Amino acid sequence: AGIPADWLDGKGVAIRDLRTPNGKLGYSLRREGSVLKLDVAAGIEVPAGGLVLPWPYRGAPGEATIDGRPVQWKNGELRIPSAPAQVEIRAAR
């Protein structure tokens, strides 16, 4: 939340070693063609509710996977239960 969607094109955005109460958070988020990719680094103890990725674009999100396994969106959010994690979201058709 709070990151303009057009910032995700090209190299996207990344954070490394952000201190949190659960450890250091690191991630990169970028769009490659019709796929949004989120890579969450190891180093954080994920809270009980998971890490939450809100859908950053207008319209409905497409199919998503976490570490290659299909996952479901809930109210425009994707919950990531553990780190490290690789998330891929295909554009809705």
Side-chain angles (χ1 to χ4, degrees):
I3 297 173
D6 61 338
W7 287 15
L8 304 179
D9 295 340
K11 291 183 180 181
V13 296
I15 291 178
R16 187 174 63 184
D17 295 333
L18 177 67
R19 289 188 207 165
T20 76
N22 293 25
K24 292 183 179 181
L25 174 63
Y27 71 85
S28 65
L29 181 62
R30 67 201 174 285
R31 186 171 64 95
E32 295 179 3
S34 64
V35 179
L36 186 64
K37 295 185 177 189
L38 171 67
D39 293 313
V40 181
I44 188 167
E45 182 180 324
V46 175
L51 300 173
V52 177
L53 174 66
W55 182 237
Y57 300 108
R58 294 178 189 249
E63 295 178 356
T65 61
I66 297 177
D67 297 329
R69 292 183 295 271
V71 292
Q72 298 297 313
W73 290 89
K74 186 172 181 179
N75 299 322
E77 295 180 336
L78 195 63
R79 295 206 178 257
I80 299 133
S82 61
Q86 291 185 331
V87 180
E88 290 194 2
I89 305 150
R90 305 226 178 275
R93 296 181 181 183

